[in-house]
Amino acid sequence: MSDHHIKRLVIMRHAKADWPGGVADHERPLEERGHREAPLAGKWLVKHSILPDFILCSSALRTRQTCTWVCSELGDKAPTPKLEDGLYAASALRMLAVVNHVPDTVTTLMLISHMPGVQDLAMHLASRDSNHDAYMDAATRYPTSALTVLETEKSWAELDGQDARLTKFKVPRAH
């Protein structure tokens, strides 16, 4: 694979959310641990030079707050996120349909959304030549703030299934 043709998809589950009484699911905020761990995901992306040039974020409060923390770590390299109602409580195939409409000028796409869709999408897209350990980690657990990095030579519109190499799976944790 020649580097200039590679597209990267970063799939992130929102950070740890609170469950306050009387609050609609869509409006659930991050809890204290979520506010500590969401920036760590941004730090990890910067450390590994995985800088999204486009971010699609579910419109739910907890994903928007996660996105704000990630972008604060990306600093002036952070793109303006696009809030996407269609990513809230979406299935993997619904998320994929959103990804399929991303313009091919985007080389590193980040998607911040919810379980089980984020894990299902990562597993759906992961090809047979994926990093085995990263694949197994993503398949068996997908905790809050988890990040999956996939690489593909295909255009976003062509992404379908088992056509992106899962290269990394990271769960940033505050110590």
Side-chain angles (χ1 to χ4, degrees):
M1 285 202 278
S2 59
D3 282 352
H4 67 280
H5 291 301
I6 294 179
K7 290 189 178 337
R8 281 192 295 204
L9 174 62
V10 180
I11 302 171
M12 181 178 183
R13 181 180 178 191
H14 63 79
K16 181 78 176 147
D18 203 353
W19 196 263
V23 173
D25 181 68
H26 191 270
E27 300 309 314
R28 284 174 51 213
L30 293 182
E31 67 162 36
E32 191 178 319
R33 191 181 100 200
H35 285 292
R36 285 196 314 269
E37 291 176 349
L40 299 177
K43 281 183 170 56
W44 184 85
L45 291 170
V46 170
K47 181 181 167 191
H48 290 87
S49 299
I50 300 169
L51 303 172
D53 42 292
F54 194 60
I55 298 176
L56 287 169
C57 180
S58 158
S59 59
L61 179 59
R62 58 193 179 274
T63 46
R64 296 193 322 258
Q65 288 178 323
T66 299
C67 186
T68 298
W69 281 116
V70 168
C71 287
S72 72
E73 293 300 325
L74 296 174
D76 58 2
K77 294 178 177 70
T80 302
K82 180 174 188 282
L83 293 182
E84 184 63 63
D85 288 329
L87 291 177
Y88 175 68
S91 67
L93 293 179
R94 175 76 190 97
M95 289 182 190
L96 181 58
V98 173
V99 170
N100 288 152
H101 286 91
V102 170
D104 273 321
T105 51
V106 173
T107 54
T108 300
L109 171 64
M110 184 168 192
L111 187 143
I112 304 174
S113 195
H114 311 267
M115 280 292 279
V118 286
Q119 182 180 38
D120 293 347
L121 179 60
M123 295 299 94
H124 178 75
L125 290 175
S127 60
R128 295 183 189 279
D129 62 344
S130 291
N131 174 299
H132 179 74
D133 292 342
Y135 179 93
M136 292 309 293
D137 282 349
T140 54
R141 60 192 191 97
Y142 213 109
T144 52
S145 298
L147 296 155
T148 304
V149 180
L150 298 117
E151 296 181 348
T152 185
E153 286 189 14
K154 291 195 167 188
S155 70
W156 299 118
E158 292 175 312
L159 269 187
D160 186 22
Q162 291 194 337
D163 47 12
R165 189 169 169 264
L166 197 159
T167 58
K168 293 179 174 66
F169 178 75
K170 174 66 179 169
V171 181
R173 284 292 177 247
H175 299 294

